[in-house]
Amino acid sequence: MQFGIFSVGDVTADPTTGRTPSEAERIKAMVAIALKAEEVGLDVFATGEHHNPPFVPSSPTTMLGYVAARTERLQLSTATTLITTNDPVKIAEDFAMLQHLADGRVDLMLGRGNTGPVYPWFGKDIREGIPLAIENYHLLRTLWREPRVDWQGKFRTPLQGFTATPAPLDDTPPFVWHGSIRSPEIAEQAAYYGDGFFHNNIFWNIEHTAQMVGLYRQRYEHYGHGAADQAVVGLGGQVFMAETEAAAKKFFRPYFDNAPVYGHGPSMEEFTELTPLTVGTPEQVIERTLGFADAVGDYQRQLFLMDHAGLPLDVVLEQLEILGREVVPVLRKEFEARRPSHVPSDPPTHASLVAAGPEAPHHLVEPARERLAAARKE
């Protein structure tokens, strides 16, 4: 099973000192966090994509390319790549280039994005979010799999005899996750293609998460990719740890209360009860995380948010030490002990995709937007 971290790259004042890091400091801190993740034995580092303050990671492949040059084992991913406002041609070429630079240590998570003003900045309409996600991904898949593309859709100028360069490493596109919090259409899309489904459940109760993952699993089996429990699932979470629960809550409370995403709302205790946020001891984090599989079934990737809300870099690095040295080894052992032999323990990697050989071509025969529209009527 893969364990890792994701960063949203927020530039937030430390509420205990009032100091706000510069954008340069925050970007370099994200790199330091990625390097620490590999050092302590984590598997994945994922960066978000944002184009509005107070966030800095507007160019994920630039950051991941730099991290790739300074790491040897770490899987590089996104959380998320905006399939709605990015040009699929640019996504295809950027991530193929990153594949070559990182020797295949690349996958990506696609998402619609929920920041309304970003859409018109890139000439898009948020009301078309779902159709954009469906059409753009169909084009992205085609660009990665066809050497010469003739294509016409609703949201982009046509392509005639176009070849994306470079081609994916070993003619094998990176594995794709579809990230969604509340859109069943995206779960359907992931299932149709046999891709991964990542439910970033840091804002939702476990019942909602189980419902979304359950839909994806059901439709994955429906489309003939395997049994429902073999579908490739990832979850998000957030933790803060100390030797005692009281010490963890005392330290983290001012950061929670002033967080740009969920601060000034429910209390930390209420939020912890309703979402996967765990503020306590390493043992409590282990127990809570193991409980996720009881709700959604055995899954393949768990990512934690560790550097949000103005936490100082030295504190985040200490948290990563605890996560990598104390928590994850226990989680690996316990998750694998309960996993049935027919359920994959890891998501597909570049090596496993190359070994599996070319995909069946049925995904490219009919426009996905038509098949998905028909599927919703079933």
Side-chain angles (χ1 to χ4, degrees), residues 75 105 108 164 173 182 197 208 251 273 312 320 346:
Q75 184 76 7
R105 293 184 288 128
L108 68 159
R182 59 187 178 273
F197 180 65
H208 173 79
F251 189 97
E273 181 180 355
L320 290 175
D346 293 308

Side-chain angles (χ1 to χ4, degrees), residues 134 185 188 223 367-378:
I134 293 171
E185 296 92 340
E188 179 81 29
Y223 287 118
R369 61 181 179 273
E370 297 175 10
R371 286 289 302 272
L372 290 172
R376 287 197 294 271
K377 297 177 183 178
E378 293 181 2

Side-chain angles (χ1 to χ4, degrees), residues 296-358:
V296 307
D298 296 289
Y299 61 109
Q300 288 71 35
R301 176 176 285 184
Q302 173 67 55
L303 300 184
F304 295 99
L305 178 62
M306 305 290 290
D307 67 334
H308 183 46
L311 283 167
L313 177 59
D314 61 340
V315 172
V316 175
L317 298 181
E318 290 173 0
Q319 291 289 304
L320 290 175
E321 279 281 351
I322 300 171
L323 184 69
R325 311 293 191 193
E326 300 180 32
V327 173
V328 165
V330 178
L331 289 176
R332 288 193 200 279
K333 180 180 178 180
E334 295 296 330
F335 272 120
E336 293 314 307
R338 61 161 285 162
R339 188 186 304 275
S341 59
H342 70 282
V343 174
S345 59
D346 293 308
T349 63
H350 182 73
S352 69
L353 291 171
V354 170

Side-chain angles (χ1 to χ4, degrees), residues 140-151:
L140 175 61
R141 286 185 64 90
T142 305
L143 291 163
W144 272 338
R145 288 162 173 81
E146 296 292 312
R148 179 183 172 91
V149 174
D150 294 303
W151 181 90

Side-chain angles (χ1 to χ4, degrees), residues 3-10 12 15 26 33 55 198-204 206 209 234-242 248-249 251-263 266-290 292 299 301-312 315-316 319-320 322-323 327 331:
F3 293 91
I5 55 173
F6 71 98
S7 176
V8 297
D10 60 305
T12 304
R26 188 66 177 97
I33 289 164
F55 305 99
F198 192 95
H199 193 268
N200 194 6
N201 55 330
I202 61 173
F203 302 117
W204 291 85
I206 195 64
T209 300
L235 297 182
Q238 184 181 6
V239 299
F240 186 84
M241 296 170 285
K249 289 183 174 179
F251 189 97
F252 189 65
R253 189 177 301 279
Y255 296 95
F256 175 90
D257 289 344
N258 291 277
V261 177
Y262 49 57
S267 70
M268 187 169 68
E269 286 73 16
E270 292 170 327
F271 201 83
T272 300
E273 181 180 355
L274 294 173
T275 78
L277 173 65
T278 306
V279 182
T281 65
E283 292 76 18
Q284 288 175 302
V285 171
I286 292 168
E287 181 180 3
R288 189 84 181 278
T289 306
L290 289 173
F292 296 164
Y299 61 109
R301 176 176 285 184
Q302 173 67 55
L303 300 184
F304 295 99
L305 178 62
M306 305 290 290
D307 67 334
H308 183 46
L311 283 167
V315 172
V316 175
Q319 291 289 304
L320 290 175
I322 300 171
L323 184 69
V327 173
L331 289 176

